Amino acid sequence: ATVQSVALMQTQDRPVLVQALRRGGDGVLEARHMLHAVKMTLTPENGGRLIGDGPGWYRGWMIPKAAGGMFGQRDQAPRDPDQRTITGIHLVFNDSMQGDMFGRNLDFLRGVRVGVRSVASWEEIFDARTMDAISFGESTLDCDRLRFNVEPGYDRGRRVAGVPTPWEMEATSGVVFRTRNDSGLLEGTASRAAYTSSKDLFTVEGAPNRAAIFRQTRPDGSAGPEGAVRTMSIRPQTMKVENAVIERLNIATPPIKGTR
């Protein structure tokens, strides 16, 4: 006999919640993950499929160096376990979540928003849907499809202790992104956006008939570069452009100190 599928369904007073904890070799907590959906169905065949019916959400807590630098958030120096900065993530989706265990990828569909910010504890939560104006160290990403997957070619058998698993993210359809850090505020729209953790590179692309738009605001509030591009790759932490195919570019002149 074989199990074709296993389904978990919420009741009025019992939501469907899945939690995973990751600890280091010393037993110190490194990451916490929680997932909620109206219904979750696991199909063991063909390597395993996991489907979650929305609306639902994902919450994550992790040490920045383990989270990667997609939004420019990293630990700058080793810290005492009780004093390390914790990065919080809140993701909401309206339609469904689809996971492929064999392919090691996870898709969130329709009305997706991700919010990222620092939190004070492993229990602190926030609502990404209310992050209309972002502060220093915060980021949001909106799209209709968001995929996470382990970087192709990664050999789990050769994993090195203490080195995070390389991962990729891809957002498509109606992408809106915002992030604020030491380099100011970067925001824009695109047809596709992707991030690769091993390269720490964020790439945006436009559609054939619609360019991707970006705008930077400097830390002092003055206008920075803004324009339209077919494609652009940047370092999130420094906002340095690695390469770009530009259609339009405006570079604002920084204000001269001592003048008004």
Side-chain angles (χ1 to χ4, degrees):
T2 59
V3 176
Q4 292 186 338
S5 66
V6 177
L8 302 175
M9 293 164 283
Q10 72 175 15
T11 62
Q12 187 172 359
D13 59 342
R14 290 184 179 274
V16 179
L17 293 173
V18 177
Q19 177 173 260
L21 302 177
R22 176 181 175 181
R23 298 183 183 275
D26 54 3
V28 175
L29 186 61
E30 293 183 343
R32 179 186 177 207
H33 308 274
M34 290 189 69
L35 183 65
H36 161 70
V38 174
K39 175 183 177 182
M40 290 191 194
T41 304
L42 173 63
T43 305
E45 296 181 351
N46 300 320
R49 294 278 300 174
L50 178 64
I51 297 177
D53 296 338
W57 51 259
Y58 159 82
R59 291 189 183 278
W61 298 259
M62 55 197 74
I63 302 303
K65 66 178 181 180
M70 175 187 164
F71 298 103
Q73 299 196 2
R74 285 186 182 274
D75 255 350
Q76 299 302 318
R79 303 170 186 238
D80 182 274
D82 295 328
Q83 298 178 347
R84 290 179 297 181
T85 299
I86 301 172
T87 294
I89 301 173
H90 182 217
L91 181 154
V92 294
F93 61 95
N94 286 333
D95 189 341
S96 64
M97 173 205 71
Q98 301 179 12
D100 182 342
M101 297 181 185
F102 179 76
R104 295 186 288 182
N105 59 62
L106 186 62
D107 291 324
F108 296 93
L109 304 176
R110 303 289 182 271
V112 181
R113 164 165 275 207
V114 185
V116 179
R117 50 165 283 195
S118 295
V119 293
S121 73
W122 295 99
E123 303 296 331
E124 182 182 344
I125 64 173
F126 60 91
D127 192 341
R129 293 166 294 190
T130 64
M131 294 176 68
D132 297 321
I134 62 173
S135 302
F136 176 84
E138 298 182 351
S139 305
T140 63
L141 177 71
D142 298 85
C143 63
D144 265 344
R145 179 177 181 176
L146 185 65
R147 164 170 286 198
F148 293 97
N149 61 267
V150 174
E151 207 169 286
Y154 172 69
D155 186 351
R156 189 182 306 178
R158 297 184 178 181
R159 180 180 175 182
V160 179
V163 178
T165 300
W167 56 276
E168 296 179 338
M169 180 215 71
E170 181 186 46
T172 55
S173 183
V175 179
V176 180
F177 59 92
R178 300 180 300 164
T179 184
R180 187 188 292 272
N181 59 21
D182 288 329
S183 300
L185 171 68
L186 177 68
E187 55 189 339
T189 60
S191 294
R192 176 182 178 272
Y195 174 77
T196 304
S197 69
S198 63
K199 299 178 181 178
D200 191 23
L201 205 60
F202 184 61
T203 301
V204 296
E205 299 176 359
N209 59 346
R210 186 172 66 253
I213 305 296
F214 76 94
R215 179 172 63 251
Q216 182 179 359
T217 302
R218 297 187 177 93
D220 62 3
S222 62
E226 65 89 17
V229 297
R230 295 182 184 179
T231 180
M232 179 176 68
S233 296
I234 63 174
R235 300 288 178 188
Q237 195 168 9
T238 62
M239 294 189 187
K240 178 182 177 182
V241 176
E242 293 291 313
N243 56 71
V245 179
I246 300 172
E247 292 192 358
R248 173 179 58 81
L249 178 64
N250 294 324
I251 300 178
T253 303
I256 300 174
K257 294 183 178 180
T259 63
R260 300 182 60 184

